[in-house]
Amino acid sequence: MAVNYSVPAYFILILLFISRIRSTVGKSKPSTNFPPPNLLTLDFSERIRTDPLAIESASSDYGNIVHENPAAVLHPSSPQDIVSLIKFAYNNSGTFTISARGRSHSVFGQAMAPNGVIVDMMRLRSHRENNGVIVSKNPSLGYFYADVGGEQLWIDVLKATMEHGLAPVAWTDYLYLTVGGTLSNAGISGQSFRYGPQISNVYEMDVVTGKGELVTCSPHKNSELFYAVLGGLGQFGIITRARIAIEPAPKRVKWVRMLYSDFSAFTKDQERLIAINGRRQSSALDYVEGSLLMNQGPPNNWRSSFFPSSDIPRIMSLVTQHGIIYCLEVAKYYDDSTQHSVPKELEQMYKGLSFISGFKLEKDVSFMDFLDRVRNGELKLQSQGLWDVPHPWLNLFLPKSRISDFNSGVFQDIVLKRNITTGPVLIYPMNRNNYTRRGSILHSRISAFKWIE
């Protein structure tokens, strides 16, 4: 059903995870020196690493700003190792910190456990059958789902489900993140306005709780735990399996970018586009985002080389003239049955938009290439030694009513006047109706604006 966007259903987000997100397990007792001597005598002790290499590998995160050394790192061979570790901690006479670590894409040390134990979830990948992704169909209701290990990367989930002609519907812009990691946060991208975040597309999970119990939970079974863990920032348990929604996968994507010099027109068009958002509405877009183009060199950056080289001079001329250009980015998925209707639907959509005449650029790419579009930029920066640098990323949620104030107060009066032009700025339009109402704090937030340096 289309949403009447006169209702405050549109938010801008910038996610800033500045709190320390660690699972502190153990009873409320005086702390003792760690590690307890008997930790290394347990049945799984051969998988507990205390050597300098293991410690150093778990002492930083993607933000590369905070550095904390754990006392030990667990290389689990099964979820039972995680159960045993947390149960030991819960029954131990002292307390210590345990943190699950996937790709460690936190920004301010949330994946660390100073003087505690890091659980290296990625080690489970080599111990899973069927590559940690099992595709099934509910015989009574007829829908497909995938049972996925919490340590699995979304790119591997995509590849495994695509072998069956299926794919998840909810994504992050970057796919080399673990399933457990994004479900512990929210899992947000340009698809979220229509399909909701990843936490709204989960049927069931296996979770290791702070008492060391492996519990299966769903909306109908242990529901309090289910809704607490989704978006719970790792504070309510460690996800070892998630049953996620999957649907028939499209084959290709019409990928379009349109440029604006007027922020009000830009946001008005974003609202217009996300108002058509039904999962079964053929006219709805599949992806809507936005970004700023500023005087920071050519408009192509590490995240995307979308713009043809022949168009860059005239785009840069626009940026020079206006200082900031707002880029509206949309995508429409299609397959063999819809390849002829999609261009007509897009043309009809363009008629109601207010982008600068002559500045609508289109690409046609495979579904896989579109979803994995950030990877090439990452590999390029890695080859240049520019990936492992500090990443002071800022993220916020803003209501529709304050978008214009944010543009004038931040984009115009700070960014433009002070010439702060390093790093991409992403703007996500969101639809509150597609967010789960129950659960942890992130369920009540709507995502949309990301500032990246």
Side-chain angles (χ1 to χ4, degrees):
M1 178 181 296
V3 175
N4 181 344
Y5 53 84
S6 63
V7 177
Y10 174 100
F11 281 61
I12 278 190
L13 143 84
I14 313 174
L15 295 171
L16 174 56
F17 298 124
I18 58 175
S19 60
R20 292 195 176 273
I21 305 167
R22 297 194 300 263
S23 297
T24 301
V25 296
K27 297 177 182 177
S28 200
K29 301 175 182 176
S31 61
T32 61
N33 292 331
F34 181 79
N38 54 347
L39 175 67
L40 300 180
T41 66
L42 299 176
D43 293 342
F44 55 93
S45 61
E46 70 276 6
R47 292 185 285 280
I48 297 176
R49 299 273 301 274
T50 58
D51 56 280
L53 182 61
I55 298 302
E56 182 180 0
S57 68
S59 65
S60 62
D61 60 8
Y62 177 71
N64 204 19
I65 299 171
V66 176
H67 301 270
E68 300 277 6
N69 287 337
V73 180
L74 173 64
H75 289 179
S77 62
S78 70
Q80 188 57 46
D81 287 343
I82 304 173
V83 168
S84 298
L85 173 66
I86 296 181
K87 188 173 292 184
F88 168 80
Y90 182 75
N91 293 315
N92 188 56
S93 58
T95 61
F96 60 90
T97 300
I98 294 175
S99 178
R101 178 187 178 97
R103 286 298 308 281
S104 190
H105 261 248
S106 57
V107 184
F108 286 96
Q110 297 94 325
M112 299 177 202
N115 233 19
V117 179
I118 292 289
V119 179
D120 187 349
M121 298 295 289
M122 298 294 288
R123 299 289 172 169
L124 287 173
R125 289 163 55 82
S126 60
H127 298 282
R128 294 283 195 180
E129 297 181 1
N130 301 308
N131 296 321
V133 182
I134 301 175
V135 175
S136 304
K137 184 176 182 179
N138 185 304
S140 59
L141 300 178
Y143 62 81
F144 290 93
Y145 60 85
D147 284 304
V148 181
E151 75 289 344
Q152 296 299 307
L153 301 183
W154 283 102
I155 182 65
D156 295 326
V157 176
L158 175 61
K159 292 176 179 178
T161 55
M162 286 283 283
E163 292 180 0
H164 301 270
L166 303 164
V169 297
W171 298 100
T172 52
D173 286 340
Y174 177 68
L175 303 186
Y176 291 76
L177 304 172
T178 62
V179 170
T182 65
L183 294 183
S184 294
N185 286 277
I188 296 165
S189 77
Q191 289 94 346
S192 299
F193 80 93
R194 182 176 181 185
Y195 301 102
Q198 290 178 321
I199 57 175
S200 294
N201 292 275
V202 181
Y203 296 128
E204 182 181 279
M205 293 184 294
D206 288 341
V207 174
V208 183
T209 70
K211 291 184 177 181
E213 299 171 338
L214 183 59
V215 178
T216 298
C217 55
S218 72
H220 310 292
K221 181 180 181 181
N222 299 310
S223 60
E224 287 190 2
L225 177 64
F226 180 79
Y227 287 112
V229 169
L230 290 173
L233 305 178
Q235 300 303 290
F236 301 96
I238 296 176
I239 300 169
T240 60
R241 177 188 66 91
R243 177 169 291 180
I244 59 176
I246 55 177
E247 293 182 352
K251 292 184 177 181
R252 298 195 64 80
V253 177
K254 294 289 186 182
W255 187 7
V256 185
R257 288 186 180 179
M258 296 159 279
L259 304 185
Y260 294 73
S261 60
D262 181 80
F263 186 73
S264 178
F266 166 74
T267 55
K268 183 179 179 181
D269 282 355
Q270 282 193 324
E271 291 181 52
R272 176 191 179 100
L273 294 176
I274 70 169
I276 305 172
N277 57 65
R279 290 176 79 124
R280 303 303 173 192
Q281 285 181 277
S282 62
S283 58
L285 291 168
D286 295 287
Y287 167 96
V288 178
E289 279 196 11
S291 59
L292 302 190
L293 301 182
M294 299 175 288
N295 190 19
Q296 54 182 234
N300 289 330
N301 54 54
W302 66 269
R303 293 188 73 255
S304 174
S305 297
F306 180 92
F307 298 106
S309 57
S310 59
D311 286 310
I312 288 179
R314 67 192 190 101
I315 294 174
M316 291 306 300
S317 177
L318 269 184
V319 174
T320 301
Q321 178 183 352
H322 297 281
I324 293 178
I325 290 296
Y326 307 97
C327 177
L328 175 54
E329 182 176 7
V330 304
K332 181 71 174 175
Y333 304 158
Y334 71 95
D335 53 26
D336 293 341
S337 64
T338 57
Q339 62 178 330
H340 298 298
S341 61
V342 164
K344 297 177 182 178
E345 291 174 2
L346 289 175
E347 285 300 325
Q348 188 64 32
M349 178 195 73
Y350 300 147
K351 294 178 181 179
L353 303 181
S354 302
F355 55 88
I356 301 173
S357 179
F359 286 92
K360 172 177 64 67
L361 300 98
E362 299 184 10
K363 293 180 73 172
D364 191 295
V365 298
S366 72
F367 181 59
M368 178 72 77
D369 286 345
F370 174 74
L371 292 181
D372 200 26
R373 60 196 177 278
V374 178
R375 178 62 167 174
N376 287 336
E378 175 193 8
L379 295 177
K380 182 178 180 180
L381 291 180
Q382 286 180 350
S383 69
Q384 298 172 346
L386 299 175
W387 189 252
D388 295 323
V389 297
H391 297 102
W393 291 19
L394 173 67
N395 305 267
L396 296 174
F397 293 86
L398 295 176
K400 179 176 72 171
S401 60
R402 302 310 299 270
I403 294 172
S404 295
D405 293 339
F406 195 87
N407 175 63
S408 59
V410 177
F411 294 156
Q412 298 293 331
D413 288 347
I414 297 178
V415 173
L416 186 57
K417 290 184 178 179
R418 298 185 184 182
N419 196 31
I420 305 173
T421 58
T422 58
V425 179
L426 308 180
I427 302 172
Y428 292 62
M430 291 294 147
N431 224 316
R432 179 184 293 172
N433 288 4
N434 284 334
Y435 277 66
T436 305
R437 297 292 181 178
R438 298 182 58 185
S440 301
I441 186 169
L442 279 187
H443 285 207
S444 64
R445 299 180 178 177
I446 316 295
S447 164
F449 173 80
K450 183 179 288 186
W451 184 303
I452 308 172
E453 283 198 24

